[in-house]
Amino acid sequence: MPGFHLVETTVANEAALRHLHQLSQQISIELHGEDQTGTLESLRATSADASSRLNGIVLAVPGMAPASVECGRFGLPPAPDDLGEVWGSMQFTLPLLDNRHLVDNVFVQVAPEYRRGGIATAMVSHLHQVAAAHQRSTILMWSDHRPDATAESWVSAPQGTGAVPLDAASRFAAHLGFRLAQVERQSRLALPVDPELLAALTAHARDAAASDYHLVSWTGPTPPEYLDAVAAANHAISADAPSGEIDCEDERWDATRVQEADERMAAVGTAFHTLAVSTSGQPAGLTTIYIEDGEPQHGYQFNTVVISGHRGHRLGLWMKTTNLAAVIAAFPDLPHLDTWNADENEHMLAINTAMGYRPWALGGGWQLVR
Ligand SMILES: CC(C)(COP(=O)(O)OP(=O)(O)OC[C@H]1O[C@@H](n2cnc3c(N)ncnc32)[C@H](O)[C@@H]1OP(=O)(O)O)[C@@H](O)C(=O)NCCC(=O)NCCS
């Protein structure tokens, strides 16, 4: 295999970002038979640094490393502005407000024609240097799998539910000493949902909850009066959503972080939120659906949480069906929604199944404690 070297880049390098996006599209189509990558603008927005995290992008490119150049913040030469070819990529985040022991959200991909040549190994080896330089003890890497993969062997999740096929991604992760810490299920809801079913589910949930709670829905950035409530709900998501054996701590959320996340989403799409509020004014739950601009094929059901102390009132179902109705009214031609849940999150999966979501793909969370 011809020689390659690693470079690092940021969203400021347009050519590098376009190559990363194209590689992601190619690999998404290879795995799913469709492009689930999202838009270039969305990649640009999610890869931009925020006050809550640094974003890393490492690329494997052909040829020898330049002899003497000043390295970037992750210890690699910067990608040139006229980058011509990318053989592999690795994205990661370094949380800054909480979870400062993690190198998080690691996604590694190598173009099919350059696999088994050590590119992915080289990128993850470099990640150890990043982890050491930033005092991070734990690396969390994610893999995607088809649920109908005809693998002979499967790797079981430590929490006892779910498994991922022992395919190239799993073998690669295991080869580098990572252990499967959680399995996620990607589920898909074909739209439009039967309006009678949606109305019946909403009425059923509302009957159980409406005497003690009301719902507030909005589109786009959070109104100022709900910033603290959304911060509380986002904290609850990080604290309460099942995380298998992933070594993560509660996230710190405040109004500023909510505004920052809202700005990022509003720059490249439309977020639909529904918040549950108790009669005494306490935030009780939140759900969000996101539609990217210029991406009419995909909508995403993001996090849903019912804050502890408010569970058992069918708030999850009520919020989700109410929010979904708003999305269908605004985007009547949207073909489906995708969502991701911990495979052991039986309550959320039961709600999704009642609404018509069906399993679509699997995700593996691979952890390495250094
Ligand atoms: C998984 C992936 C990143 C591996 O990239 P790569 O550059 O081919 O990996 P490497 O050459 O560094 O492989 C290192 C070791 O992993 C294991 N491995 C990698 N691919 C494998 C395969 N298809 N079958 C069996 N073992 C494999 C082997 O032990 C290999 O060592 P060897 O070649 O000496 O036997 C690549 O197949 C890919 O991009 N897949 C799609 C994206 C993806 O699944 N990413 C998630 C990674 S967790």
Side-chain angles (χ1 to χ4, degrees):
M1 168 143 152
F4 67 91
H5 67 281
L6 304 184
V7 295
E8 64 177 77
T9 193
T10 68
V11 292
N13 186 327
E14 186 64 21
L17 202 68
R18 283 180 187 275
H19 278 295
L20 170 61
H21 189 242
Q22 280 165 9
L23 180 59
S24 302
Q25 289 179 311
Q26 181 186 7
I27 287 176
S28 178
I29 292 167
E30 174 193 2
L31 184 70
H32 299 290
E34 64 173 28
D35 178 16
Q36 295 192 176
T37 310
T39 61
L40 178 65
E41 289 66 32
S42 168
L43 175 64
R44 186 178 291 117
T46 51
S47 305
D49 290 335
S51 61
S52 61
R53 60 168 199 252
L54 294 181
N55 284 282
I57 304 174
V58 168
L59 303 174
V61 298
M64 300 283 288
S68 65
V69 293
E70 199 172 322
C71 287
R73 61 184 173 173
F74 297 123
L76 290 170
D81 289 340
D82 59 350
L83 190 64
E85 225 183 316
V86 164
W87 292 355
S89 69
M90 177 174 68
Q91 294 159 268
F92 58 91
T93 63
L94 298 179
L96 296 175
L97 298 181
D98 47 54
N99 288 290
R100 292 176 64 96
H101 63 296
L102 284 182
V103 178
D104 205 359
N105 298 311
V106 179
F107 291 93
V108 177
Q109 45 190 14
V110 175
E113 57 272 40
Y114 299 111
R115 290 183 188 157
R116 302 304 289 272
I119 289 181
T121 300
M123 293 192 290
V124 174
S125 300
H126 184 74
L127 202 55
H128 280 271
Q129 291 180 42
V130 173
H134 291 263
Q135 291 92 42
R136 309 281 160 148
S137 61
T138 305
I139 301 176
L140 190 57
M141 178 168 74
W142 290 92
S143 57
D144 257 352
H145 310 263
R146 295 297 305 159
D148 54 353
T150 49
E152 288 171 11
S153 311
W154 291 70
V155 187
S156 293
Q159 71 271 27
T161 73
V164 293
L166 186 56
D167 55 14
S170 300
R171 288 181 193 278
F172 166 70
H175 174 77
L176 292 188
F178 286 76
R179 287 170 54 98
L180 187 64
Q182 187 173 36
V183 172
E184 280 210 333
R185 193 189 299 181
Q186 178 183 354
S187 307
R188 175 164 288 186
L189 177 64
L191 296 177
V193 176
D194 174 5
E196 284 183 19
L197 171 69
L198 196 57
L201 289 172
T202 306
H204 168 65
R206 189 176 47 226
D207 288 349
S211 55
D212 299 313
Y213 299 91
H214 67 276
L215 301 186
V216 193
S217 297
W218 68 89
T219 306
T222 305
E225 63 270 33
Y226 298 124
L227 284 170
D228 289 340
V230 170
N234 284 347
H235 170 266
I237 288 164
S238 76
D240 296 350
S243 54
E245 289 195 354
I246 292 177
D247 172 24
C248 55
E249 58 187 36
D250 299 3
E251 292 177 0
R252 284 199 215 162
W253 280 87
D254 58 15
T256 307
R257 188 168 177 182
V258 172
Q259 284 173 313
E260 199 175 86
D262 282 351
E263 276 167 26
R264 203 166 47 242
M265 287 197 284
V268 289
T270 307
F272 292 77
H273 303 276
T274 293
L275 178 74
V277 183
S278 73
T279 41
S280 62
Q282 296 295 311
L286 179 72
T287 191
T288 301
I289 292 174
Y290 188 61
I291 317 287
E292 288 180 2
D293 293 339
E295 188 66 287
Q297 293 305 309
H298 293 291
Y300 303 97
Q301 167 67 63
F302 280 2
N303 288 325
T304 301
V305 68
V306 177
I307 296 174
S308 75
H310 301 281
R311 298 194 180 137
H313 300 274
R314 304 210 181 282
L315 281 176
L317 182 61
W318 192 21
M319 291 188 301
K320 282 187 108 159
T321 55
T322 302
N323 212 34
L324 176 59
V327 170
I328 291 173
F331 289 91
D333 297 328
L334 191 68
H336 56 249
L337 282 181
D338 283 328
T339 195
W340 285 259
N341 303 98
D343 200 80
E344 70 271 30
N345 196 344
E346 53 183 306
H347 297 302
M348 192 56 70
L349 289 169
I351 291 173
N352 290 348
T353 303
M355 291 174 69
Y357 280 91
R358 296 292 174 259
W360 179 255
L362 294 168
W366 298 87
Q367 181 165 267
L368 187 146
V369 180
R370 301 172 63 246

